[in-house]
Amino acid sequence: MLNSFNKYSKVNSITLHSDAEQASVYVAQQIAELIRQQQEQGKPAVLGLATGNTPKRVYQELVRLHQNEGLSFHNVISFNLDEYYPICPDNDQSYTYFMRKYLFSHIDIKSHNIHIPHTDFPPHRILQYCKDYEDKIVSFGGLDLQLLGIGRNGHIGFNEPGSTFDSTTRLVNLHSLTRQDAQTHFGTIDNVPLQAISIGIQTIIQAKKILLLALGERKSEIISKALKGEISTQVPASILQTLSQVEYILDRDAAALIQD
Ligand code: F6R
């Protein structure tokens, strides 16, 4: 770790690492520590998980800790942040496929403890489905830890600019920048779904611990806005400035605009 400081925010901490590798390993260690602590107390660890490029190396490290250092996931209950709507879980662009590929198929998590929004159903079922997803998180006592990436427009989950801070799980319209950033995975912009199901900002901020990981120069501008800018629904991640349970984990490039 290079540095830990909270110059911009009175309440939360920023942990700065020299590169993406170190930052990712650090995040994996935080997650592993929580899982082990909960095991020692005979409790489940309720994890909110993210997809995208940012957490890939974190998941790789968790898999290594499982395979080489005996970390068990038998007490883990997971809830993913979001999923495109509509998409079949077997589609290789779905987040169900992503989570299986990078994490779940390599660890001993019980399949009935995995929750990822499934979105291969008709519109009239959405409201009830979202309510059930939200209720399920509450039924496990809420999220012990939420892992977040950040979109270049400041989204967390798929809570796009304009999302209210009291939003819960719901169907959302994807922002043009979000769809543009997803284009490389889907081939063409027309293949990128227009909508997604995402847990809400309120759902996220109720987590007992929140780790926001941002890597690389392309995140530096939004990190500066989210951490130093005004708290506004136009930059959904800005609400995190107000919360004491938040830790931002940044590599040097993502932190480029917030360092002197
Ligand atoms: C993914 C998610 C998104 C991503 C964000 C950053 O489940 O909820 O908020 O964390 O779009 O994506 P990457 O990591 O691909 O830059």
Side-chain angles (χ1 to χ4, degrees), residues 50-55 81-82 95 149-151 155-158 218-219:
T51 52
N53 288 323
T54 309
L81 282 167
D82 41 27
Y95 286 160
I150 184 170
H155 73 208
I156 45 176
F158 276 143
R218 60 197 293 276
K219 295 294 169 71

Side-chain angles (χ1 to χ4, degrees), residues 178-230:
T178 302
R179 294 187 67 240
Q180 199 180 306
D181 282 349
Q183 187 179 338
T184 44
H185 302 294
F186 283 88
T188 68
I189 192 81
D190 292 336
N191 289 340
V192 182
L194 293 165
Q195 293 181 302
I197 285 180
S198 175
I199 74 170
I201 297 185
Q202 182 176 283
T203 328
I204 292 172
I205 66 182
Q206 283 173 345
K208 295 177 189 88
K209 175 89 193 160
I210 298 173
L211 301 179
L212 186 148
L213 176 64
L215 306 172
E217 190 271 331
R218 60 197 293 276
K219 295 294 169 71
S220 61
E221 207 174 314
I222 192 62
I223 279 297
S224 166
K225 277 192 197 154
L227 273 68
K228 293 166 61 179
E230 137 188 37

Side-chain angles (χ1 to χ4, degrees), residues 66 71-75 103-111:
H66 171 68
L71 175 67
S72 173
F73 290 76
H74 71 264
N75 67 327
L103 186 64
F104 294 147
S105 64
H106 309 286
I107 60 175
D108 63 341
I109 189 169
K110 294 172 186 151
S111 57

Side-chain angles (χ1 to χ4, degrees), residues 33-160:
E33 199 177 305
L34 174 89
I35 295 171
R36 288 193 174 115
Q37 270 171 11
Q38 296 294 94
Q39 278 168 9
E40 278 163 19
Q41 297 174 39
K43 291 182 183 166
V46 187
L47 303 183
L49 298 177
T51 52
N53 288 323
T54 309
K56 283 183 186 167
R57 180 66 186 94
V58 175
Y59 295 150
Q60 195 187 4
E61 178 62 9
L62 286 172
V63 170
R64 193 195 67 77
L65 289 171
H66 171 68
Q67 291 175 344
N68 300 349
E69 297 188 23
L71 175 67
S72 173
F73 290 76
H74 71 264
N75 67 327
V76 169
I77 296 166
S78 73
F79 286 91
N80 266 75
L81 282 167
D82 41 27
E83 177 61 285
Y84 295 108
Y85 178 87
I87 203 164
C88 169
D90 291 332
N91 183 315
D92 61 7
Q93 297 314 321
S94 79
Y95 286 160
T96 300
Y97 185 94
F98 176 103
M99 290 307 297
R100 217 184 295 137
K101 177 172 174 186
Y102 290 101
L103 186 64
F104 294 147
S105 64
H106 309 286
I107 60 175
D108 63 341
I109 189 169
K110 294 172 186 151
S111 57
H112 64 267
N113 283 339
I114 296 172
H115 305 91
I116 305 176
H118 277 207
T119 66
D120 52 344
F121 53 75
H124 71 270
R125 286 190 45 212
I126 290 174
L127 262 182
Q128 189 58 47
Y129 184 85
C130 292
K131 188 178 176 307
D132 291 347
Y133 199 76
E134 194 75 31
D135 288 349
K136 214 172 271 176
I137 296 175
V138 174
S139 76
F140 286 108
L143 301 166
D144 291 311
L145 184 150
Q146 175 66 62
L147 173 62
L148 293 175
I150 184 170
R152 287 193 300 141
N153 58 10
H155 73 208
I156 45 176
F158 276 143
N159 293 287
E160 302 286 27

